Coordinates of all heavy atoms in Angstrom, one line a residue:
M3 N 130.3 133.7 121.1 CA 131.0 132.6 121.8 C 131.1 132.9 123.3 O 131.2 134.0 123.7 CB 132.4 132.5 121.3 CG 132.6 131.9 119.9 SD 134.3 131.5 119.6 CE 134.2 129.7 119.9
I4 N 131.0 131.8 124.0 CA 131.2 131.9 125.5 C 132.3 131.0 125.9 O 132.6 130.1 125.3 CB 129.9 131.5 126.2 CG1 129.5 130.1 125.9 CG2 128.7 132.4 125.9 CD1 128.3 129.5 126.8
N5 N 132.9 131.4 127.0 CA 134.0 130.5 127.6 C 133.4 129.5 128.5 O 132.2 129.4 128.7 CB 135.1 131.4 128.3 CG 134.5 132.2 129.5 OD1 133.5 131.9 130.0 ND2 135.3 133.2 129.9
T6 N 134.3 128.7 129.1 CA 133.8 127.6 130.0 C 133.2 128.1 131.3 O 132.4 127.4 131.9 CB 135.0 126.8 130.4 OG1 136.0 127.5 131.0 CG2 135.6 126.0 129.2
K7 N 133.4 129.4 131.6 CA 132.7 130.0 132.8 C 131.3 130.5 132.4 O 130.6 131.0 133.3 CB 133.5 131.1 133.3 CG 134.8 130.7 133.9 CD 135.6 131.9 134.3 CE 137.0 131.5 134.8 NZ 137.8 132.6 135.2
G8 N 130.9 130.5 131.1 CA 129.7 131.1 130.7 C 129.7 132.6 130.3 O 128.7 133.2 130.1
D9 N 130.9 133.2 130.3 CA 131.1 134.6 130.0 C 131.0 134.8 128.5 O 131.7 134.0 127.7 CB 132.4 135.2 130.5 CG 132.5 135.0 132.0 OD1 131.5 135.2 132.7 OD2 133.6 134.7 132.5
T10 N 130.4 135.7 128.0 CA 130.4 136.0 126.5 C 131.8 136.6 126.2 O 132.2 137.6 126.7 CB 129.3 137.0 126.1 OG1 128.1 136.4 126.5 CG2 129.4 137.4 124.6
V11 N 132.5 136.0 125.3 CA 133.8 136.5 124.9 C 133.8 137.1 123.5 O 134.7 137.9 123.1 CB 134.9 135.4 125.0 CG1 135.2 135.0 126.4 CG2 134.6 134.2 124.2
L12 N 132.9 136.7 122.6 CA 132.6 137.3 121.3 C 131.2 137.5 121.2 O 130.4 136.6 121.4 CB 133.2 136.5 120.2 CG 134.7 136.4 120.0 CD1 135.0 135.5 118.8 CD2 135.2 137.8 119.6
Q13 N 130.7 138.7 120.8 CA 129.3 138.9 120.6 C 128.8 138.1 119.5 O 129.5 137.8 118.5 CB 129.1 140.4 120.3 CG 129.5 141.3 121.4 CD 128.6 141.1 122.7 OE1 127.4 140.9 122.5 NE2 129.2 141.1 123.8
P14 N 127.5 137.7 119.6 CA 126.9 136.9 118.5 C 126.5 137.7 117.2 O 125.4 137.9 116.9 CB 125.6 136.3 119.2 CG 125.3 137.4 120.2 CD 126.6 138.0 120.6
I15 N 127.6 138.1 116.5 CA 127.4 138.8 115.3 C 127.7 137.9 114.0 O 127.4 138.4 112.9 CB 128.3 140.1 115.2 CG1 129.8 139.7 115.3 CG2 127.9 141.0 116.3 CD1 130.7 140.9 115.0
Y16 N 128.2 136.7 114.2 CA 128.5 135.9 113.1 C 127.4 134.9 112.8 O 126.7 134.4 113.7 CB 129.8 135.1 113.4 CG 130.9 136.1 113.7 CD1 131.4 136.3 115.0 CD2 131.6 136.8 112.7 CE1 132.4 137.1 115.4 CE2 132.6 137.7 113.0 CZ 133.0 137.9 114.3 OH 134.0 138.7 114.6
D17 N 127.2 134.6 111.6 CA 126.2 133.5 111.2 C 126.8 132.2 111.6 O 125.9 131.3 111.9 CB 126.0 133.6 109.7 CG 125.4 134.9 109.2 OD1 124.6 135.5 109.9 OD2 125.9 135.4 108.1
R18 N 128.0 132.0 111.6 CA 128.7 130.7 112.0 C 130.1 130.9 112.4 O 130.7 131.8 111.8 CB 128.6 129.8 110.8 CG 128.9 128.3 111.1 CD 128.4 127.4 110.0 NE 128.7 126.1 110.4 CZ 128.4 125.0 109.7 NH1 127.8 125.1 108.6 NH2 128.7 123.8 110.1
I19 N 130.6 130.2 113.4 CA 132.0 130.3 113.8 C 132.5 128.9 114.1 O 131.8 128.1 114.7 CB 132.1 131.3 115.0 CG1 133.5 131.5 115.4 CG2 131.3 130.8 116.2 CD1 133.7 132.7 116.4
D20 N 133.7 128.7 113.7 CA 134.4 127.4 114.0 C 135.2 127.5 115.3 O 135.4 128.6 115.9 CB 135.3 127.1 112.8 CG 135.7 125.6 112.7 OD1 135.1 124.8 113.5 OD2 136.6 125.3 111.9
D21 N 135.8 126.4 115.7 CA 136.7 126.5 116.9 C 137.9 127.2 116.6 O 138.4 127.2 115.5 CB 137.1 125.0 117.3 CG 135.8 124.3 117.8 OD1 134.9 124.9 118.3 OD2 135.8 123.0 117.6
F22 N 138.5 127.8 117.7 CA 139.8 128.4 117.5 C 141.0 127.4 117.4 O 141.0 126.5 118.2 CB 140.1 129.4 118.7 CG 139.5 130.7 118.5 CD1 138.2 130.9 119.0 CD2 140.0 131.7 117.9 CE1 137.5 132.1 118.9 CE2 139.4 133.0 117.7 CZ 138.2 133.1 118.2
K23 N 141.8 127.6 116.4 CA 143.0 126.8 116.3 C 144.1 127.8 116.0 O 144.0 128.7 115.1 CB 143.0 125.8 115.1 CG 141.9 124.7 115.3 CD 141.9 123.9 114.0 CE 140.6 123.0 114.0 NZ 140.4 122.4 112.7
D24 N 145.3 127.7 116.7 CA 146.4 128.6 116.5 C 145.9 130.1 116.7 O 146.4 131.0 116.0 CB 147.0 128.5 115.1 CG 147.6 127.1 114.9 OD1 148.0 126.5 115.8 OD2 147.5 126.6 113.7
S25 N 145.0 130.3 117.7 CA 144.5 131.6 118.0 C 143.7 132.3 116.9 O 143.4 133.5 117.0 CB 145.7 132.5 118.4 OG 146.3 132.0 119.5
I26 N 143.2 131.6 115.9 CA 142.3 132.1 115.0 C 141.1 131.2 114.7 O 141.2 129.9 115.0 CB 142.9 132.5 113.6 CG1 143.5 131.2 112.9 CG2 144.0 133.5 113.8 CD1 144.0 131.5 111.4
A27 N 140.0 131.7 114.2 CA 138.8 130.9 114.0 C 138.2 131.3 112.7 O 138.3 132.5 112.3 CB 137.8 131.1 115.0
L28 N 137.7 130.4 111.9 CA 137.0 130.6 110.6 C 135.6 131.0 111.0 O 134.9 130.4 111.8 CB 137.0 129.3 109.8 CG 136.3 129.4 108.5 CD1 136.9 130.5 107.6 CD2 136.3 128.1 107.8
V29 N 135.2 132.2 110.5 CA 133.8 132.6 110.7 C 133.1 132.9 109.3 O 133.8 133.1 108.3 CB 133.8 133.9 111.5 CG1 134.3 133.7 112.9 CG2 134.5 135.1 110.8
Y30 N 131.8 133.0 109.4 CA 130.9 133.3 108.2 C 130.0 134.4 108.6 O 129.3 134.3 109.6 CB 130.2 132.0 107.8 CG 129.3 132.1 106.6 CD1 129.8 132.3 105.4 CD2 127.9 132.2 106.8 CE1 129.0 132.4 104.3 CE2 127.1 132.3 105.7 CZ 127.6 132.4 104.5 OH 126.8 132.5 103.4
K31 N 130.0 135.4 107.9 CA 129.1 136.6 108.2 C 128.7 137.3 106.9 O 129.6 137.6 106.1 CB 129.8 137.5 109.1 CG 128.9 138.7 109.5 CD 129.6 139.6 110.4 CE 128.8 140.8 110.7 NZ 129.6 141.9 111.5
D32 N 127.5 137.5 106.7 CA 127.0 138.3 105.6 C 127.5 137.8 104.3 O 127.9 138.6 103.4 CB 127.4 139.8 105.8 CG 126.7 140.4 107.0 OD1 125.6 140.0 107.4 OD2 127.3 141.3 107.6
G33 N 127.5 136.5 104.1 CA 127.9 135.9 102.8 C 129.4 135.8 102.6 O 129.9 135.6 101.4
R34 N 130.2 136.0 103.6 CA 131.6 136.1 103.5 C 132.3 135.2 104.6 O 131.9 135.2 105.7 CB 132.1 137.5 103.6 CG 133.5 137.8 103.2 CD 133.7 139.3 103.1 NE 134.1 139.9 104.3 CZ 135.3 139.9 104.8 NH1 136.2 139.3 104.2 NH2 135.5 140.6 105.9
A35 N 133.3 134.4 104.2 CA 134.0 133.6 105.2 C 135.4 134.2 105.3 O 136.0 134.7 104.3 CB 134.2 132.3 104.7
F36 N 135.9 134.3 106.6 CA 137.2 134.9 106.9 C 137.6 134.4 108.3 O 136.9 133.8 109.0 CB 137.2 136.4 106.8 CG 136.1 137.1 107.6 CD1 136.3 137.5 108.9 CD2 134.8 137.2 107.1 CE1 135.3 138.2 109.7 CE2 133.8 137.8 107.9 CZ 134.1 138.3 109.1
Y37 N 138.9 134.7 108.6 CA 139.5 134.3 109.9 C 139.4 135.5 110.8 O 139.6 136.6 110.4 CB 140.9 133.8 109.7 CG 141.0 132.4 109.2 CD1 141.6 132.2 108.0 CD2 140.6 131.3 109.9 CE1 141.7 130.9 107.4 CE2 140.7 130.0 109.4 CZ 141.2 129.8 108.2 OH 141.3 128.5 107.7
I38 N 139.2 135.2 112.1 CA 139.3 136.3 113.1 C 140.2 135.8 114.2 O 140.4 134.6 114.4 CB 137.9 136.6 113.8 CG1 137.3 135.4 114.4 CG2 137.0 137.2 112.7 CD1 136.1 135.7 115.3
D39 N 140.7 136.8 115.1 CA 141.5 136.4 116.2 C 140.6 136.4 117.4 O 139.3 136.6 117.3 CB 142.7 137.4 116.5 CG 142.2 138.9 116.7 OD1 141.0 139.1 117.0 OD2 143.1 139.8 116.6
R40 N 141.1 136.1 118.6 CA 140.2 136.0 119.8 C 139.6 137.3 120.2 O 138.6 137.2 121.0 CB 141.1 135.4 121.0 CG 141.5 134.0 120.7 CD 142.1 133.3 121.9 NE 142.5 132.0 121.7 CZ 141.8 130.9 121.7 NH1 140.5 131.0 122.1 NH2 142.2 129.7 121.4
Q41 N 140.0 138.4 119.7 CA 139.3 139.6 120.0 C 138.2 140.0 119.0 O 137.5 141.1 119.1 CB 140.3 140.8 120.0 CG 141.2 140.8 121.3 CD 142.2 139.7 121.2 OE1 142.9 139.5 120.2 NE2 142.4 138.9 122.2
G42 N 138.1 139.2 117.9 CA 137.1 139.4 116.9 C 137.6 140.2 115.7 O 136.8 140.6 114.8
N43 N 138.9 140.5 115.7 CA 139.5 141.3 114.5 C 139.8 140.3 113.4 O 140.3 139.2 113.6 CB 140.8 141.9 115.0 CG 140.6 142.8 116.1 OD1 139.8 143.7 116.1 ND2 141.5 142.6 117.2
E44 N 139.5 140.8 112.2 CA 139.7 139.9 111.0 C 141.3 139.8 110.8 O 142.0 140.8 111.0 CB 139.1 140.6 109.8 CG 139.3 139.7 108.5 CD 138.5 140.3 107.3 OE1 137.7 141.1 107.5 OE2 138.8 139.8 106.2
V45 N 141.7 138.6 110.5 CA 143.2 138.4 110.4 C 143.5 137.6 109.1 O 142.6 136.9 108.6 CB 143.8 137.6 111.6 CG1 143.7 138.4 112.8 CG2 143.1 136.3 111.7
A46 N 144.6 137.8 108.5 CA 145.0 137.1 107.4 C 145.6 135.8 107.8 O 146.3 135.7 108.8 CB 146.0 137.9 106.6
Y47 N 145.3 134.7 107.0 CA 145.9 133.4 107.2 C 147.4 133.5 107.0 O 147.8 134.0 105.9 CB 145.2 132.4 106.3 CG 145.9 131.1 106.2 CD1 145.9 130.2 107.2 CD2 146.7 130.8 105.1 CE1 146.5 128.9 107.1 CE2 147.4 129.6 105.1 CZ 147.3 128.7 106.0 OH 148.0 127.5 106.0
D48 N 148.2 132.9 107.8 CA 149.6 132.8 107.7 C 150.0 131.4 108.0 O 149.9 131.0 109.2 CB 150.3 133.8 108.6 CG 151.8 133.8 108.5 OD1 152.4 132.8 108.0 OD2 152.4 134.8 108.9
P49 N 150.5 130.6 107.1 CA 150.8 129.2 107.3 C 151.9 129.0 108.4 O 151.9 128.0 109.1 CB 151.3 128.6 106.0 CG 151.7 129.8 105.2 CD 150.8 131.0 105.7
K50 N 152.7 130.0 108.6 CA 153.7 129.9 109.7 C 153.2 130.1 111.0 O 153.6 129.4 112.0 CB 154.9 130.9 109.4 CG 155.7 130.5 108.2 CD 156.8 131.4 108.0 CE 157.6 131.1 106.7 NZ 158.7 132.0 106.4
K51 N 152.3 131.0 111.1 CA 151.6 131.4 112.4 C 150.5 130.4 112.7 O 150.1 130.2 113.9 CB 151.1 132.8 112.4 CG 152.1 133.9 112.4 CD 151.5 135.2 112.4 CE 152.5 136.3 112.4 NZ 151.8 137.6 112.3
H52 N 149.8 129.9 111.7 CA 148.6 129.1 111.8 C 148.7 127.8 111.2 O 147.9 127.4 110.2 CB 147.4 129.9 111.3 CG 147.4 131.3 111.7 ND1 147.5 132.3 110.8 CD2 147.3 131.9 112.9 CE1 147.5 133.5 111.4 NE2 147.3 133.3 112.7
P53 N 149.7 126.9 111.5 CA 149.9 125.6 110.9 C 148.8 124.7 110.9 O 148.7 123.8 110.1 CB 151.2 125.1 111.5 CG 151.2 125.7 112.9 CD 150.6 127.1 112.7
N54 N 147.9 124.8 111.9 CA 146.8 123.9 112.0 C 145.5 124.4 111.3 O 144.5 123.7 111.4 CB 146.5 123.6 113.5 CG 147.6 122.9 114.2 OD1 148.1 121.9 113.7 ND2 148.2 123.5 115.3
Q55 N 145.6 125.5 110.7 CA 144.5 126.0 109.8 C 144.8 125.8 108.4 O 146.0 125.4 108.0 CB 144.2 127.5 110.1 CG 143.7 127.8 111.5 CD 142.2 127.5 111.6 OE1 141.6 126.7 110.8 NE2 141.6 128.0 112.7
K56 N 143.9 126.0 107.5 CA 144.1 125.8 106.1 C 143.8 127.2 105.4 O 142.9 127.9 105.9 CB 143.2 124.7 105.5 CG 143.6 123.4 106.0 CD 142.7 122.4 105.3 CE 143.0 121.0 105.8 NZ 142.2 119.9 105.2
P57 N 144.4 127.5 104.3 CA 144.0 128.7 103.5 C 142.6 128.5 103.0 O 142.1 127.4 102.6 CB 145.0 128.8 102.4 CG 145.5 127.4 102.2 CD 145.4 126.7 103.6
L58 N 141.9 129.6 102.9 CA 140.6 129.7 102.3 C 140.7 129.5 100.8 O 141.6 130.1 100.2 CB 139.8 130.9 102.6 CG 139.5 131.1 104.1 CD1 138.9 132.5 104.4 CD2 138.6 130.0 104.6
D59 N 139.7 128.9 100.2 CA 139.6 128.8 98.7 C 139.6 130.3 98.2 O 138.7 131.1 98.7 CB 138.4 128.0 98.4 CG 138.2 127.9 96.9 OD1 138.4 128.8 96.1 OD2 137.8 126.7 96.5
P60 N 140.4 130.6 97.2 CA 140.4 132.0 96.7 C 139.0 132.4 96.0 O 138.7 133.6 95.9 CB 141.5 132.1 95.7 CG 141.8 130.6 95.4 CD 141.3 129.8 96.5
H61 N 138.2 131.5 95.7 CA 136.9 131.8 95.0 C 135.7 131.5 96.0 O 134.6 131.3 95.5 CB 136.7 130.9 93.8 CG 137.9 131.1 92.8 ND1 138.1 132.2 92.0 CD2 138.9 130.2 92.5 CE1 139.2 132.1 91.3 NE2 139.7 130.9 91.6
I62 N 136.0 131.6 97.2 CA 135.1 131.3 98.3 C 133.8 132.1 98.2 O 132.7 131.6 98.3 CB 135.7 131.3 99.7 CG1 134.8 130.7 100.6 CG2 136.0 132.7 100.1 CD1 135.5 130.4 102.0
S63 N 133.9 133.4 97.9 CA 132.7 134.2 97.9 C 131.8 133.9 96.8 O 130.6 134.1 96.9 CB 133.1 135.7 97.8 OG 133.8 136.0 96.7
K64 N 132.3 133.4 95.7 CA 131.4 132.9 94.6 C 130.7 131.6 94.9 O 129.7 131.2 94.3 CB 132.2 132.8 93.3 CG 132.8 134.1 92.8 CD 133.6 133.9 91.6 CE 134.2 135.2 91.1 NZ 135.1 135.1 90.0
R65 N 131.3 130.8 95.8 CA 130.8 129.5 96.1 C 129.8 129.4 97.2 O 129.1 128.5 97.4 CB 132.0 128.5 96.4 CG 132.9 128.3 95.2 CD 134.0 127.3 95.5 NE 133.6 126.2 96.3 CZ 134.2 125.7 97.3 NH1 135.3 126.3 97.7 NH2 133.8 124.7 98.0
I66 N 129.8 130.4 98.1 CA 129.0 130.4 99.3 C 127.6 130.6 99.0 O 127.2 131.7 98.5 CB 129.5 131.3 100.4 CG1 130.9 130.9 100.9 CG2 128.6 131.4 101.6 CD1 131.5 131.8 101.8
K67 N 126.8 129.7 99.3 CA 125.3 129.9 99.2 C 124.7 129.3 100.5 O 124.0 129.9 101.2 CB 124.7 129.1 98.0 CG 125.0 129.8 96.7 CD 124.4 129.1 95.5 CE 124.9 129.8 94.3 NZ 124.5 129.0 93.1
Y68 N 125.2 128.1 100.8 CA 124.7 127.4 102.0 C 125.9 126.5 102.5 O 126.5 125.8 101.7 CB 123.5 126.5 101.8 CG 123.2 125.7 103.1 CD1 122.5 126.3 104.1 CD2 123.5 124.4 103.1 CE1 122.3 125.6 105.2 CE2 123.3 123.6 104.2 CZ 122.6 124.2 105.3 OH 122.3 123.5 106.4
I69 N 126.3 126.7 103.7 CA 127.5 125.9 104.2 C 127.0 124.6 104.8 O 126.2 124.6 105.8 CB 128.3 126.7 105.3 CG1 128.8 128.0 104.7 CG2 129.4 125.8 105.8 CD1 129.4 128.8 105.7
D70 N 127.4 123.5 104.2 CA 126.9 122.2 104.8 C 128.1 121.6 105.5 O 128.0 120.7 106.3 CB 126.4 121.3 103.7 CG 127.4 121.1 102.6 OD1 128.4 121.8 102.5 OD2 127.2 120.1 101.9
S71 N 129.3 122.1 105.2 CA 130.5 121.6 105.9 C 131.6 122.7 105.8 O 131.8 123.3 104.8 CB 131.0 120.3 105.2 OG 132.3 120.0 105.5
W72 N 132.3 122.9 106.9 CA 133.4 123.9 106.9 C 134.4 123.5 106.0 O 135.2 124.2 105.3 CB 134.0 124.0 108.3 CG 133.2 124.9 109.2 CD1 132.5 124.6 110.2 CD2 133.0 126.4 109.0 NE1 131.8 125.7 110.8 CE2 132.2 126.8 110.0 CE3 133.5 127.3 108.1 CZ2 131.8 128.1 110.2 CZ3 133.1 128.6 108.3 CH2 132.3 129.0 109.3
E73 N 134.7 122.1 105.8 CA 135.7 121.6 104.9 C 135.5 122.0 103.5 O 136.5 122.3 102.8 CB 135.8 120.1 105.1 CG 136.2 119.6 106.4 CD 137.6 120.0 106.8 OE1 138.6 120.1 105.9 OE2 137.8 120.5 107.9
S74 N 134.3 122.3 103.1 CA 134.0 122.7 101.7 C 134.5 124.1 101.5 O 134.7 124.5 100.3 CB 132.6 122.6 101.4 OG 131.8 123.5 102.1
L75 N 134.8 124.9 102.5 CA 135.3 126.3 102.3 C 136.8 126.4 102.3 O 137.4 127.4 101.9 CB 134.9 127.1 103.6 CG 133.4 127.2 103.8 CD1 133.2 128.1 105.1 CD2 132.7 127.8 102.6
L76 N 137.5 125.2 102.5 CA 138.9 125.3 102.6 C 139.5 124.7 101.3 O 138.9 123.9 100.6 CB 139.4 124.4 103.8 CG 138.9 124.9 105.1 CD1 139.3 123.9 106.2 CD2 139.4 126.3 105.5
K77 N 140.7 125.2 101.0 CA 141.4 124.7 99.8 C 142.2 123.5 100.2 O 142.7 123.4 101.2 CB 142.4 125.8 99.3 CG 143.0 125.7 98.0 CD 143.6 126.9 97.6 CE 145.1 126.9 97.9 NZ 145.8 128.1 97.4
D78 N 142.2 122.5 99.3 CA 143.0 121.2 99.5 C 144.5 121.5 99.5 O 145.0 122.2 98.9 CB 142.6 120.2 98.6 CG 141.2 119.7 98.7 OD1 140.7 119.7 99.9 OD2 140.5 119.4 97.7

């Protein structure tokens, strides 16, 4: 990820990364989806801290083959 100045703020180690909301972003790496903070640390979803994000589907690792939509990774 780069910022508006063109500086690299997260190294390109993820297969896919979503926009940051409530200071966390959904990422996909090595067949696994999870949330990270702005420093690249894995974080647990907390509905109180991250009201604009959604919890991940608990069976996500069994369902991931090809991501056609981020929405398909989230629990309704």
Side-chain angles (χ1 to χ4, degrees):
M3 282 195 104
I4 59 172
N5 63 17
T6 56
K7 296 177 184 177
D9 302 319
T10 301
V11 293
L12 283 176
Q13 294 299 317
I15 61 170
Y16 303 103
D17 298 320
R18 193 163 180 180
I19 186 167
D20 199 9
D21 294 331
F22 279 90
K23 296 178 194 166
D24 302 324
S25 299
I26 63 172
L28 178 61
V29 298
Y30 179 74
K31 180 181 177 187
D32 300 330
R34 196 166 84 80
F36 52 96
Y37 285 112
I38 60 167
D39 62 16
R40 291 188 182 275
Q41 289 73 45
N43 302 309
E44 186 172 345
V45 295
Y47 165 79
D48 181 337
K50 291 181 182 178
K51 291 181 183 177
H52 316 114
N54 296 307
Q55 292 283 16
K56 294 181 180 180
L58 294 175
D59 182 317
H61 305 289
I62 195 168
S63 60
K64 294 178 183 174
R65 292 180 44 226
I66 295 176
K67 290 182 183 170
Y68 173 78
I69 299 174
D70 56 346
S71 165
W72 279 112
E73 294 298 317
S74 67
L75 301 179
L76 303 172
K77 192 167 94 175
D78 290 327

